[in-house]
Amino acid sequence: MVLPKLALSNFLNRKTRVVLTVLAIAMSVSLVVSVTSGYTSIEAAAYKFFTHYVGSIDATVTNKNYASGVPETLVDQFKADPRVRNAFGRYDTETIFPAPPAKSAEVIGVRPDDPQLGQMYFESGWWFNSVDGDVCVIDQGGARALNIPVGGEVTLTELDRKLKLKVVGIVHKPDVMASFRPTIYVPLHTLERYKGSPGQVTKISIELKNHSDAERFVADWRPKLEQLDPNLKFRSAGESRKLLEQNLVIVHLLSYFGGLISMVTATFIVFSTLSMGVTERQRTLAMLRAVGAFRSQVAGLVILEGILLATLGAALGVVLGIAFVHALAWKFDRLFYAGVVLSYGGIALGVGGSIAAALVASLLPAWSASRVSPLEAMAPLATPGRARMPWACAAAGLVLIAIDPLILYGPMERLLSLFGASSPAAAARLTRVISHFAIGLPTILVGFFLLSPILVWLVERAIGPIVAGMLGLRFALLRQQLSSGIWRAAGTGTALMVGLAILIALQTEGRTAINGWKLPDKFPDMFIVDFNGIPASEVSKFEQVPGIKKGEVMPIAIVAPDLPKGFLSLFGQEKGTLAALMMTPDRTMFIGIDPDVAFKMIDLDFREGNAKDAERLLKQGGYVLVTAEYKRLKGLGLGGTLPLRTTSGMKDFKIAGVVWSPGIDVIVTAFDMGRQMEQRTAASVFGSNADAQRYFGVPKFMLFAANLNPAVDKDTLVKQVQRALKSEGMRAGDVRKIKEAIESDLKNFLLL
């Protein structure tokens, strides 16, 4: 009971010092809480980013025979799996849009709790709140074609069936898609009854609690689905999601690294504060020794005070840390994309770590206090330290600092080979990484801490007289304050050093990591459509229009050649619908591109082959690129042969590569266009414009992709293009906002 009474007495006699000490510890704890909660908020922001641009869906179930659908009861079975966070079904179909000119419209039956619905931007109105009801949400392209606002009516017609729907919302989609293929959202059960397929959906989407379990989940469920219906097929997460999740590994590493360094900084702050207390109470501690206190009692008193102060500071620090994060979120709400997400592990680390840091940090001051001689009670308050002490610590510090370079650049491979490692190079890389974080970094921090006293000593002697003269102080007084509390000054300097070092390291590593990310934003700024067609000889006039980048205009030829009978049965036909009239299984879509321009404007990830060879082969002629989905369906890959009917008969085209576009995945998810893109990309091949003209007789181009100079207005540009080409009726779709949003949101992670 003696030590607690002495500690309490000391606190009451030095209220200001106690308050300042508690505040110093509280600030260090708030640093830990702020950093860990900040990085947890980053992860939440990243997840929300994925949900909007890349999607949170880990697997989907569809039917190979599209007309048969998937039993809706499977949704509940998936939800019963403990690995599943959410599962929901949709009914996707097509209809003839009730407005001239004749075109198809996408009709999607959804539940109001469908998580993908909340990702889209509304121009007016909102979603319906039931799975039943004669209501709908339509995109702006359909609303413009029908000239109807919210509250108007849309009538779906199919054979002898009609469905009149009231428009309750208008959602925004890319103009280039919405203008030519509108989308209508209908309550799920309403659409099922209209189609005569109650209890059937066309797709079930599954979101897992742990996204890394997707492949295992699919493997576990595939045999069950095959037993239920052999035509049911499983697909795991989209490639963009996997790619960005791999890139975010660095964010997880930085979060742990930032929390660890925060604790190190807190340790030095606590050490500096306790050292100051020991220095201030040098006479008091000497008096305790003079009246009979043991060395262990004096040391225990300092340790107890450190733990008590740390406990008080930790409690206050948690409150301050949470308040700081919320204040930042209030001020910079654009950066906190998903709001504040507290890290309870970080709070526990801050509280427990501060107490542990206080214990560790109090050891040296306690040792110093236990060595106080009773005779020092009669000495001046501050006694300059011995000159030889900094040199010894500096030597030890230099030895510790040299350990990490030895780990990273030493003969690690040679040593491991002597110990019989089967693969010395691989083992050396792993050993270096583990040793760097486990041994190298801690020894660097401790080494520089031990180097700090000599720096304080040198600065005092080199700059002290100048500073004393500038401030009008006696140099002896300034020297006494530094030399007598050299470890206090060293702790303060080290805390500042660590803080500045981690700020530079996080900024450098973070910018390096994000600049190395493969952002899914490399696709053309604008697509322009001219239904009258533009001859190849007139295409060069595009580049003469102000605002269009030189050399970044690409005409796109689209033709639907025949395949051998029965060659490509991609989707089942729905009897009596537009799909039965338009999606014939023995035709494909040949998309002609300019190889010289396409690979610069569009990010194509080659799953088989490479861009250089593919560009050369497409220019050579008689070659095509197929999508990864195409290969999954037909098993045709690099070097395979695809027969297409040309104007002069069947011709075998060789496959120059299997590709996938991250940008397509982003557009598909952000604007809920999965079925449209799946049908078109799966049944599409990419060839050259020269082949489109040579083998399929394409006389004119109706679709163009272009990159624009900054701040170019879409409508103004279209008018200028029409004047330059003397054409009317052009329509354009601007996707620059999508690209800007992707880039700004990802860069905001680093700022956060």
Side-chain angles (χ1 to χ4, degrees), residues 2 14 42 53 128 187 242 268 277 286 368 378 431 585 606 622 624 644:
V2 176
R14 293 176 172 82
I42 285 179
Y53 288 111
F128 38 80
K242 294 178 182 177
F268 287 120
S368 300
M378 304 302 296
T431 304
F606 276 80
V624 294
L644 297 177

Side-chain angles (χ1 to χ4, degrees), residues 627-674:
T627 63
E629 177 68 10
Y630 195 106
K631 183 185 178 183
R632 278 194 293 267
L633 290 168
K634 298 305 300 179
L636 287 176
L638 180 66
T641 300
L642 178 66
L644 297 177
R645 185 175 298 280
T646 68
T647 53
S648 58
M650 297 300 296
K651 174 177 174 55
D652 289 337
F653 286 80
K654 290 185 178 180
I655 297 176
V658 179
V659 298
W660 159 76
S661 172
I664 292 296
D665 270 8
V666 170
I667 295 179
V668 165
T669 302
F671 296 100
D672 195 21
M673 298 163 59

Side-chain angles (χ1 to χ4, degrees), residues 464-703:
I466 300 174
V467 174
M470 292 174 60
L471 298 178
L473 299 173
R474 291 181 59 189
F475 173 61
L477 178 62
L478 181 61
R479 182 175 60 185
Q480 185 186 54
Q481 290 298 316
L482 287 174
S483 297
S484 63
I486 195 166
W487 284 108
R488 178 191 64 195
T492 303
T494 304
L496 293 172
M497 174 200 73
V498 172
L500 182 59
I502 190 57
L503 190 64
I504 294 172
L506 288 178
Q507 283 288 319
T508 303
E509 292 293 335
R511 290 186 182 278
T512 301
I514 286 184
N515 287 336
W517 283 18
K518 189 175 182 180
L519 301 182
D521 62 352
K522 190 177 179 183
F523 42 90
D525 293 336
M526 179 177 287
F527 291 92
I528 302 174
V529 178
D530 188 324
F531 288 108
N532 295 321
I534 303 295
S537 59
E538 300 288 317
V539 172
S540 60
K541 293 182 179 180
F542 269 95
E543 297 187 2
Q544 301 173 11
V545 176
I548 295 181
K549 292 183 178 180
K550 301 298 182 183
E552 298 190 37
V553 177
M554 181 175 66
I556 301 173
I558 299 178
V559 64
D562 289 338
L563 294 159
K565 187 173 180 58
F567 181 83
L568 185 65
S569 297
L570 290 177
F571 303 98
Q573 298 180 356
E574 301 174 71
K575 186 176 180 180
T577 67
L578 190 68
L581 302 175
M582 299 181 66
M583 295 296 294
T584 55
D586 292 331
R587 298 175 73 88
T588 189
M589 184 179 291
F590 182 98
I591 301 176
I593 57 176
D594 184 345
D596 289 327
V597 181
F599 293 104
K600 299 176 183 177
M601 297 180 63
I602 303 174
D603 183 17
L604 293 177
D605 185 28
F606 276 80
R607 299 308 167 82
E608 294 183 9
N610 60 77
K612 184 177 181 181
D613 290 341
E615 182 177 352
R616 174 178 57 82
L617 294 173
L618 289 182
K619 291 166 67 174
Q620 177 180 322
Y623 284 86
V624 294
L625 300 176
V626 299
T627 63
E629 177 68 10
Y630 195 106
K631 183 185 178 183
R632 278 194 293 267
L633 290 168
K634 298 305 300 179
L636 287 176
L638 180 66
T641 300
L642 178 66
L644 297 177
R645 185 175 298 280
T646 68
T647 53
S648 58
M650 297 300 296
K651 174 177 174 55
D652 289 337
F653 286 80
K654 290 185 178 180
I655 297 176
V658 179
V659 298
W660 159 76
S661 172
I664 292 296
D665 270 8
V666 170
I667 295 179
V668 165
T669 302
F671 296 100
D672 195 21
M673 298 163 59
R675 181 171 181 258
Q676 296 182 39
M677 288 298 181
E678 180 178 277
Q679 288 182 348
R680 279 146 190 77
T681 58
S684 301
V685 297
F686 300 87
S688 68
N689 280 331
D691 279 356
Q693 293 175 305
R694 181 185 306 118
Y695 296 114
F696 303 108
V698 176
K700 297 180 179 180
F701 298 103
M702 293 191 295
L703 179 63

Side-chain angles (χ1 to χ4, degrees), residues 260 399-408 412 431-447:
L260 173 64
V399 172
L400 291 175
I401 292 171
I403 292 177
D404 193 53
L406 185 62
I407 291 173
L408 295 177
M412 186 72 69
T431 304
R432 283 192 176 102
V433 170
I434 296 174
S435 301
H436 170 67
F437 285 100
I439 302 173
L441 282 180
T443 55
I444 283 180
L445 295 175
V446 175

